Amino acid sequence: MSNTSMSENKFYVTTPIYYVTAKPHLGSLYSTLLADVAARWNKLRGKRVFFLTGTDEHGQKVAQAAEQAGKTPKEFVDSFIDAYQTAWHKYELDYDYFIRTTDPEHVKAVQQWLTQLIAKGDIYKSHYTGWYCTSCETFVSDKESETPLSNGQGPACPSCGRVTHAVSEETYFFKLSSYQDALLKFYAQHPDFITPKERLNEVISFVQSGLKDLSISRTTVTWGIPFPNDAAHVAYVWADALNNYITAIGYGQPGKEELFNSWWPADLQILGKDIVRFHAVYWPAFLMASGLSLPKKLLVHGWIKMDKQKMSKSLGNVVDPIDLYNKYGAEPVRYYLMRKMSITHDSDFTIQDLEQTITSDLANDLGNLLNRMVSLADKHGVMEVPQHKIWSETALALRDECFNTIQEYEQFMQDCLYHMALARLWKFVNSVNAYFHAAQPWKMVGNDRDAFMEVISATCHSLRAVAILAWPVMPHKMEEMLGSLGHTFTMQDIIENLELEIWNEHFMLKKIPTLFEKPEPEITSVTQEVLAALEAAAEAPATPAVPDVVIDDVMKMHLLVGTIEQCEEVPKSDKLYKMQVNFGASGMRQILSGIRKHFTPDELIGKQAVFVFNLKPRMMLGLESQGMMLLAEDAEGKLTMTTVARAVPNGTRLR
Ligand code: ME8
Ligand code: MG
């Protein structure tokens, strides 16, 4: 294999390495998950993948936190590593290497890097006077700062707003200023270096405004990599940390040159918008000084916010990924973060939104569709679905939609716009739902077997495409879904095959346990509102025409939320529908309702509505009705379903 084809066929992705001052939180999970999705997506494209993550363990910030905890810095950082690795394993973050900047290989390689740059004249010794923000581990120049405060404290850090402190010490400088032109030339020649583009413009104007040499050593900090031949200095933490991206793949380590050359340059480096300058200015300049190529792309994402503030270890307003894992499982949370956090902007995290997304996108739209299709096939004894030969117009339209989805999804994934990719894919999931309901296969089975099998086969093909496309985001769930279709997941050129596919697969259906459970809500605002209204009604002065009830009367009635799973016309009646309603733990019920003039089955199937669950069963045209659907009638006699403002588990009782 030639060098070029080897490098085209590899994908090296990195995450920031996190300061180990606390356990990981949802923000650190998010960056690492982005890398995992990118890694898996590229595996699916047949690439050789290396995925690196790790921890940033030196510097003043970590040393201070350790001191506050009453531990030595090394004891302190060691105490968190397990929490990181455990969280990443639970979330199926399949990294190839976890680097710690206290690893001896890294320490030695950084020292060698410094020696080399000193010899080259890119590092020189002088004196630094200015401001320092420990939280950002960054020097703040007078140019960037407001007028210093008089009480000895420095101006606010332009990045995080915290107070900076004065620093005046002997230091080694890196000749950043001499790379200004080369950097500007590089940005101009590589307009795609940073995604999204706005961030590149910010970087360009920062560099154009003039670069000063960068202090890269500290004498007032001892927790760091000792400078070669000058033990009074330790490496500035960013000069140490940024190099992890090359030391992890063997840079500066004898015998590992080939390994290094097979992975470098990185194809994708993921980071939050808080650390753009370090990655887009200092890091490329360091690489230029060492004569190394620059990374191909930086993906800069926005922040996850809680109550409008950036979620962060320093603020402490964090969500523990382990709590979410215990309650919802790894893959629903992965889906939520990829679907709802828009990569280019800041996004708010709320539990309500997470639960709502799991219920609607995963449990209802996808899980229910698979379950309904397989149950229907099972009911009619056709678990083996042969190749379908001649497709009808409607099925061909769905197939076209499937092809378009694959192409558009692929483009979004290549551009790292994962939230857009999933939004596009779920539009297709909804098309499949609409197709399935409109086709009404449960009606066909008696009279048109071939049409019935076509609907099952088209749905299987569609779900198979969804499973493969969504695999980077929910690997195990999608493998389970494929298993239910009788297929096994393989990594062999799978996207390319999908693109060529003419829907000639054979399926062997298998019932599987519910793919996505709906989250159990604590107590919903809906039920609280209903309760309040009932109480208010019970207390309000009665109007003469309406008899009083007391709360005991109200509580006699069991009003339950259920999902209408099936809906068929009752023969010999022009009014009645026969519905199968799912009440979760309270079981399935057959309920008849005279609403045919008002709704099509499509408008009912898959919807949640409110039912009187303990109404005495009644016979209607020889069929038993085991409950009653509640409806609202307007002045013109038009009926509307009563439903809940957001999805709740089936069987939830209104009180
Ligand atoms: O900056 N939303 O480490 P760090 C989204 N050690 N992403 C978030 C986030 C949030 N609320 N909070 C943190 C450092 N992140 C350095 C990096 S790299 C050589 C050295 C993510 O622990 C995001 O990727 O402060 C951010 O850039 C990174 O964690 C910062 O982690
Ligand atoms: Mg930070």
Side-chain angles (χ1 to χ4, degrees), residues 11 13 30-44 49 51 92-94 268 270 334-335 337-338 409 413 416-419 421-422 469-475:
F11 183 75
V13 59
Y30 179 64
S31 299
T32 319
L33 175 57
L34 285 169
D36 186 63
V37 170
R40 288 177 188 271
W41 170 252
N42 279 279
K43 283 183 187 167
L44 215 50
V49 170
F51 164 15
E92 299 157 33
L93 305 174
D94 195 10
L268 186 66
I270 291 167
R334 285 174 63 112
Y335 174 82
L337 289 174
M338 291 298 95
Y409 184 85
M413 292 299 279
C416 306
L417 295 171
Y418 304 116
H419 63 297
L422 290 176
L469 294 173
W471 180 84
V473 179
M474 296 185 286

Side-chain angles (χ1 to χ4, degrees), residues 19 61 274 310:
Y19 290 126
K61 180 183 173 110
D274 43 335
K310 178 186 178 229

